[in-house]
Amino acid sequence: MNTNLWTRIFALQRINKNADVEENKGEESNKKKEETPKIKTCFYAIEETYLAAWLTLDYICDLIFVLDTVIGFRTGFLEQGIMVRDLSRLKTRYIRSSRFKWDIASLLPTDLLYLKLGIHTPLVRVNRFLRTGRLNEALDRMETRTSYPNTFRVAKLMLYIFVLIHWNACIYFSLSNYIGFGADPWVYPNISDPDFASTRRQYFYCFWFSTLILTTVGDTPTPEREEEYLFLVADMLIAVLVFASVVGSMGDVISSLRDRDNVFFPNHELVKGYLRSRRISKELQKRVNDWYQHLHINKKITRENEILQHLPITLQTATAVSVHLPILSKVTIFQNCEKSLLEQLVLKLTPQVYSPGEYVCKKGDVGHEMYIIKEGKLAVVADDGVTQFAVLGDGNFFGEISILNIKGNKSGNRRTANIRSIGYSDLFSLSKENLTETLLEYPAAKRLLEEKGRQILTKMGMLEETDEGEGEVEKTEDKVNRLEACLETLHTKLARLIAELESSARKMMQRVEQLELQTEGWEGIVAEGAQEEIEEREKVKEREIGDGKGEGEKEDEEEPVVEGERGEGDGGEESLGEKKNVKENEISEKEKEETEEELIKTETHQDQKRDEK
């Protein structure tokens, strides 16, 4: 019915075009329409039998392509790390991209050529292959999102090989039709033979023959025509590429699986080689092999921290919190602690797997870590290893007191019981070093944990009561430690002050040298001024002496004495002038010193302000 429907549709269209033609010509054109010429592609019998199904599938694919184009107008993109969701920008970017051109070209209505070439011409839809890029993009995204990427790669490779063999089988059948079925042993046998007439037999034979050629497995008939030789040469070249791609892809898959195993699990072969080289006993080798086998069979991962190191710290914390935080929250001493502290501790947890009969800890051992049971059962046994006092199951923990280093603990941070694994047990361990390192940043949490530990020890009767003298000794020790710390701080400050004093002294010396250089010419100027004053005074005195010579004889007689007195007076005046010069020099030097002192004071004041800032 569907085949008749499509035939009637095309017949009506052809009748409408030839409505103005004579009735005889119209009848002939209708007959030609009913007998549509068949442009044979490959297995045309399948197309004729299931024409309606093929057309329905074609237009369903066209509808999917249209939806994909519409989605392209609303596909966001990243700009400087931020997702852009503005519809106007999304449309503009998609229209300007090359992808939009290919999408539009793949949706061109080439099906209208059916009206001219006939309904049995599927080659008119060859432009749909322009969507192959989108198919590859979808497969790549599926590979990154699937939980089994290696399996997906193998499946994708097999799909490509299947499509290639299918296309090659179609070309082989078309070439056999072109040469003639049964013309020679190489082509497809004559379809008049009932054994090779069915469509199913035709496809399976061609697919098998194509597989022989592309895989180079088995013997094929020798070609006899030039077309057959060319086809075989092309297939041989393609087969080389296919073989190389298959080998390379499978090698990548195997190597990635091996790398994953090496990351997830310890290297078993390396350990076995070491055990053989050291001639370890068979019993111990069997225990080691059983432990490895348990890890591989049950997919137990003991190297979680190394795997999570490939993620940024925020994602590491989030992943570890989602996996380990519920387990860590069950520990009594960690209840009611800050969430940030627990988030830091979950990154420190180390998974461990213990074999049946293996001791996790023994009585008297120094405790360096605490344990949380994730899965399995552990027994608290006596020294004989047979008598069981208790059985610990999932969610239980032990050894938490030994990592807190609480003073007054009677056990002295040593194990007080023997813990042995009954079967295979999965534990998480937290070391004392990691806990101490983390608690340095959380002093309040440290005091809280120590208080909880004391309470637990008090209930167990394992906490010694300290005397007052011991308390005073502890206080004295604390004071001494505090004083030593203060002394070290003062030493540091003193060294800093000495360095600052030396630097300020160097600065003052540089300032003094600059002032001396600036005041070098002052002494010469002062000395020249004093000398001029002395000469003027001597001239005045000589004038006074010359005027006194014209007076009486007494004065003449006493002239030598006067002269001598005058000489002494002159000498005294000269000495007074020198004293004045000395005083002026002293005054200038004092002024220098005062200015230097003022400059030093201002510089030291400025240095003090800078130090205070």
Side-chain angles (χ1 to χ4, degrees):
M1 294 296 294
N2 291 329
T3 306
N4 296 330
L5 179 62
W6 286 102
T7 306
R8 291 174 184 175
I9 291 172
F10 286 101
L12 289 173
Q13 291 178 354
R14 184 63 61 87
I15 290 171
N16 292 333
K17 288 184 179 180
N18 299 326
D20 297 335
V21 185
E22 296 178 356
E23 293 180 357
N24 294 332
K25 293 182 179 180
E27 292 177 357
E28 293 177 358
S29 64
N30 289 334
K31 291 180 181 179
K32 291 180 180 179
K33 178 61 183 178
E34 293 175 357
E35 298 175 358
T36 306
K38 300 176 182 178
I39 301 178
K40 302 172 184 177
T41 51
C42 296
F43 300 97
Y44 55 88
I46 300 175
E47 182 185 359
E48 291 178 349
T49 306
Y50 304 102
L51 179 62
W54 285 117
L55 292 176
T56 303
L57 292 175
D58 287 345
Y59 293 116
I60 288 175
C61 292
D62 290 346
L63 180 60
I64 294 174
F65 290 169
V66 172
L67 292 176
D68 181 65
T69 304
V70 173
I71 292 172
F73 285 102
R74 304 179 67 88
T75 303
F77 63 93
L78 292 177
E79 186 177 49
Q80 297 181 354
I82 301 174
M83 181 65 71
V84 178
R85 301 180 184 277
D86 187 6
L87 292 179
S88 59
R89 295 185 62 186
L90 297 181
K91 292 178 182 178
T92 303
R93 185 175 183 273
Y94 178 60
I95 291 173
R96 293 179 179 177
S97 64
S98 59
R99 173 190 160 187
F100 176 74
K101 298 176 183 178
W102 291 108
D103 291 346
I104 294 300
S106 65
L107 289 175
L108 292 177
T110 54
D111 300 52
L112 297 176
L113 295 175
Y114 281 151
L115 301 175
K116 183 176 181 181
L117 300 177
I119 194 66
H120 298 286
T121 314
L123 290 177
V124 298
R125 295 175 54 84
V126 72
N127 61 324
R128 270 56 174 179
F129 279 103
L130 297 176
R131 290 272 179 167
T132 306
R134 293 287 291 162
L135 176 62
N136 294 330
E137 182 181 353
L139 292 176
D140 291 339
R141 293 192 178 185
M142 290 174 64
E143 180 179 345
T144 57
R145 294 179 180 179
T146 182
S147 301
Y148 305 96
N150 294 317
T151 305
F152 185 83
R153 292 192 195 103
V154 174
K156 184 173 69 173
L157 178 63
M158 296 304 296
L159 176 64
Y160 288 160
I161 294 174
F162 177 83
V163 172
L164 182 62
I165 294 174
H166 167 74
W167 287 347
N168 193 67
C170 295
I171 296 173
Y172 168 74
F173 187 79
S174 299
L175 183 61
S176 299
N177 185 24
Y178 173 76
I179 297 173
F181 295 117
D184 55 54
W186 188 86
V187 298
Y188 185 79
N190 196 341
I191 58 176
S192 60
D193 187 352
D195 294 336
F196 299 95
S198 65
T199 305
R200 182 182 302 175
R201 181 63 178 272
Q202 293 174 5
Y203 181 76
F204 287 158
Y205 181 90
C206 295
F207 194 89
W208 167 79
F209 193 83
S210 177
T211 304
L212 289 180
I213 297 175
L214 293 179
T215 58
T216 63
V217 177
D219 296 331
T220 58
T222 304
E224 298 180 0
R225 299 173 180 268
E226 296 178 355
E227 296 87 348
E228 299 172 356
Y229 280 109
L230 292 175
F231 180 79
L232 273 182
V233 168
D235 273 8
M236 290 295 180
L237 295 176
I238 294 173
V240 172
L241 298 177
V242 170
F243 182 77
S245 63
V246 170
V247 173
S249 299
M250 295 303 296
D252 292 339
V253 170
I254 294 172
S255 62
S256 63
L257 289 173
R258 184 176 300 170
D259 294 340
R260 187 197 65 180
D261 291 341
N262 291 336
V263 172
F264 283 1
F265 311 105
N267 193 338
H268 190 193
E269 298 297 331
L270 184 63
V271 175
K272 287 197 298 185
Y274 174 79
L275 296 177
R276 287 194 299 268
S277 64
R278 295 298 181 181
R279 296 180 181 179
I280 305 299
S281 62
K282 297 294 183 180
E283 182 182 358
L284 183 56
Q285 290 187 22
K286 184 178 183 303
R287 289 176 58 190
V288 172
N289 293 333
D290 292 343
W291 183 78
Y292 270 103
Q293 186 176 9
H294 172 74
L295 292 183
H296 279 275
I297 292 175
N298 297 279
K299 306 300 180 184
K300 300 292 180 65
I301 301 173
T302 59
R303 307 170 69 176
E304 291 184 357
N305 296 333
E306 297 181 12
I307 298 171
L308 294 179
Q309 285 178 356
H310 298 282
L311 298 174
I313 187 63
T314 54
L315 293 180
Q316 287 184 34
T317 305
T319 305
V321 165
S322 63
V323 176
H324 304 315
L325 187 59
I327 300 173
L328 189 63
S329 301
K330 295 179 181 179
V331 182
T332 306
I333 60 174
F334 294 130
Q335 291 176 355
N336 300 324
C337 287
E338 299 179 30
K339 186 177 180 181
S340 56
L341 172 62
L342 298 180
E343 290 177 354
Q344 292 293 327
L345 290 177
V346 293
L347 294 174
K348 310 294 184 180
L349 293 178
T350 304
Q352 296 183 6
V353 179
Y354 287 89
S355 302
E358 186 176 358
Y359 279 92
V360 179
C361 61
K362 290 186 176 182
K363 186 177 180 179
D365 294 343
V366 178
H368 295 289
E369 58 273 315
M370 67 166 293
Y371 297 94
I372 305 171
I373 302 175
K374 178 185 177 184
E375 184 181 359
K377 290 184 178 182
L378 290 88
V380 182
V381 298
D383 294 337
D384 58 4
V386 178
T387 306
Q388 293 187 2
F389 299 113
V391 176
L392 304 177
D394 299 351
N396 292 121
F397 53 90
F398 56 93
E400 70 278 8
I401 302 300
S402 61
I403 67 173
L404 290 177
N405 198 17
I406 298 173
K407 294 181 180 180
N409 188 357
K410 292 182 180 180
S411 61
N413 294 332
R414 292 183 178 274
R415 304 296 187 186
T416 58
N418 300 313
I419 308 295
R420 190 179 65 181
S421 177
I422 298 176
Y424 285 101
S425 302
D426 296 344
L427 308 179
F428 286 108
S429 66
L430 177 64
S431 66
K432 181 188 295 184
E433 292 77 10
N434 290 332
L435 179 62
T436 305
E437 180 183 355
T438 306
L439 290 179
L440 290 176
E441 302 176 359
Y442 299 91
K446 181 179 180 181
R447 291 191 294 270
L448 179 62
L449 291 177
E450 290 178 351
E451 182 62 27
K452 288 184 177 180
R454 290 191 187 94
Q455 294 175 2
I456 294 172
L457 288 175
T458 303
K459 292 179 181 179
M460 296 171 59
M462 299 293 293
L463 184 63
E464 296 180 352
E465 296 181 359
T466 57
D467 298 333
E468 294 181 358
E470 293 179 356
E472 291 178 359
V473 171
E474 290 177 358
K475 291 180 180 178
T476 305
E477 290 178 355
D478 293 337
K479 289 180 180 180
V480 171
N481 293 332
R482 196 182 311 112
L483 288 174
E484 288 178 353
C486 293
L487 185 60
E488 290 178 358
T489 305
L490 289 174
H491 278 305
T492 305
K493 291 183 178 179
L494 180 60
R496 191 183 302 142
L497 289 174
I498 291 172
E500 291 175 356
L501 181 61
E502 290 177 354
S503 64
S504 61
R506 285 196 298 270
K507 291 180 181 178
M508 285 191 288
M509 292 296 296
Q510 292 176 359
R511 293 286 183 144
V512 170
E513 290 176 358
Q514 290 178 0
L515 289 173
E516 287 179 354
L517 292 173
Q518 292 177 0
T519 58
E520 282 180 355
W522 291 7
E523 294 179 358
I525 294 170
V526 173
E528 289 177 0
Q531 188 67 27
E532 288 177 357
E533 290 179 358
I534 293 169
E535 289 176 358
E536 288 179 358
R537 289 176 182 175
E538 288 177 354
K539 289 179 181 180
V540 171
K541 289 178 181 180
E542 288 176 358
R543 289 174 185 172
E544 290 177 354
I545 294 169
D547 294 336
K549 287 181 180 180
E551 296 180 354
E553 294 177 357
K554 292 180 180 181
E555 293 175 358
D556 293 336
E557 291 176 357
E558 296 174 356
E559 189 173 346
V561 177
V562 173
E563 288 177 357
E565 292 174 357
R566 288 174 182 169
E568 291 174 1
D570 294 338
E573 290 178 357
E574 290 176 359
S575 63
L576 291 171
E578 292 175 358
K579 290 179 180 179
K580 289 180 180 179
N581 292 333
V582 172
K583 289 181 179 179
E584 290 175 355
N585 291 332
E586 290 177 356
I587 291 169
S588 62
E589 290 177 358
K590 288 181 180 179
E591 291 177 352
K592 288 180 185 179
E593 292 177 356
E594 291 176 356
T595 54
E596 290 174 358
E597 289 178 356
E598 291 177 356
L599 290 171
I600 291 168
K601 289 180 180 179
T602 54
E603 289 177 355
T604 55
H605 185 63
Q606 291 176 358
D607 292 336
Q608 289 176 356
K609 286 185 176 180
R610 283 196 219 97
D611 295 336
E612 291 175 356
K613 291 180 180 178

